[in-house]
Amino acid sequence: MSDSDIERRIVAGLIVSDEFAGRVRPLWRDDLVESPEVVRIARWCTDYFDRYGRAPGRHVEDIYMRELRADRVPKAEAEIIERILARISDDYERGEQFNAAYLFDRAAEYFRSREITRHNERVQDLVDVGDVAAADEAVRAFRPTSWATSRG
């Protein structure tokens, strides 16, 4: 599964599943996702979840239109968001089954991988600029999120 595919599935879960949104919400970090469009949609979903205690479902379309009318979404990003939302809608109209527990496991695995990758990039950046002492300290100080204990 590609990064863009798992990110699309994660945001789909945030849109359609109260259970998935509730489990992922405490773990969500924008910096663990590559696509800025997925981050934007996920923020809408997590804000909605924080306010109403449930996934937005079809309300995500209303949120998107309101944000678009308020000119808070750049045009290029809006087109990509529209395609993402249309694809998610098509998937679920065709009756795609949603398994919140399975997707949570895949999301935790993806977030763990992204967290390690981002850390390694920071360490490599320090090495590249010649700050080996800071890189060494960053290696020793790294404490990844315990995704396994977050499953409860």
Side-chain angles (χ1 to χ4, degrees):
M1 188 177 305
S2 70
D3 288 355
S4 62
D5 191 45
I6 186 63
E7 288 184 0
R8 183 184 58 79
R9 288 175 187 256
I10 290 168
V11 84
L14 288 169
I15 292 170
V16 304
S17 172
D18 298 342
E19 178 188 349
F20 181 78
R23 292 180 75 190
V24 167
R25 177 62 188 112
L27 308 175
W28 182 262
R29 287 184 16 213
D30 291 352
D31 68 316
L32 296 179
V33 176
E34 292 187 63
S35 166
E37 297 82 15
V38 167
V39 168
R40 186 179 297 273
I41 298 167
R43 281 187 197 150
W44 298 339
C45 295
T46 55
D47 289 349
Y48 189 97
F49 187 86
D50 291 346
R51 183 164 187 179
Y52 301 108
R54 59 182 308 139
R58 294 260 181 226
H59 291 162
V60 77
E61 295 168 7
D62 297 334
I63 296 166
Y64 167 68
M65 294 307 295
R66 190 176 60 238
E67 293 292 305
L68 201 56
R69 281 192 299 272
D71 212 23
R72 290 189 286 253
V73 181
K75 283 214 185 295
E77 198 171 309
E79 292 171 12
I80 296 169
I81 288 172
E82 194 166 323
R83 283 195 304 266
I84 292 169
L85 294 177
R87 185 164 177 200
I88 290 168
S89 180
D90 289 347
D91 288 348
Y92 290 96
E93 283 178 10
R94 283 194 315 264
E96 183 174 303
Q97 296 298 311
F98 186 82
N99 181 334
Y102 175 80
L103 183 59
F104 180 81
D105 287 345
R106 297 298 66 78
E109 181 180 286
Y110 178 71
F111 290 153
R112 184 173 49 249
S113 169
R114 289 287 303 145
E115 184 178 38
I116 292 167
T117 298
R118 297 226 356 122
H119 169 72
N120 288 341
E121 289 167 352
R122 283 189 292 272
V123 170
Q124 188 60 53
D125 288 346
L126 290 168
V127 170
D128 289 347
V129 298
D131 196 346
V132 176
D136 188 48
E137 178 56 34
V139 167
R140 276 186 268 152
F142 182 60
R143 299 289 178 261
T145 302
S146 179
W147 301 102
T149 60
S150 302
R151 289 183 176 177

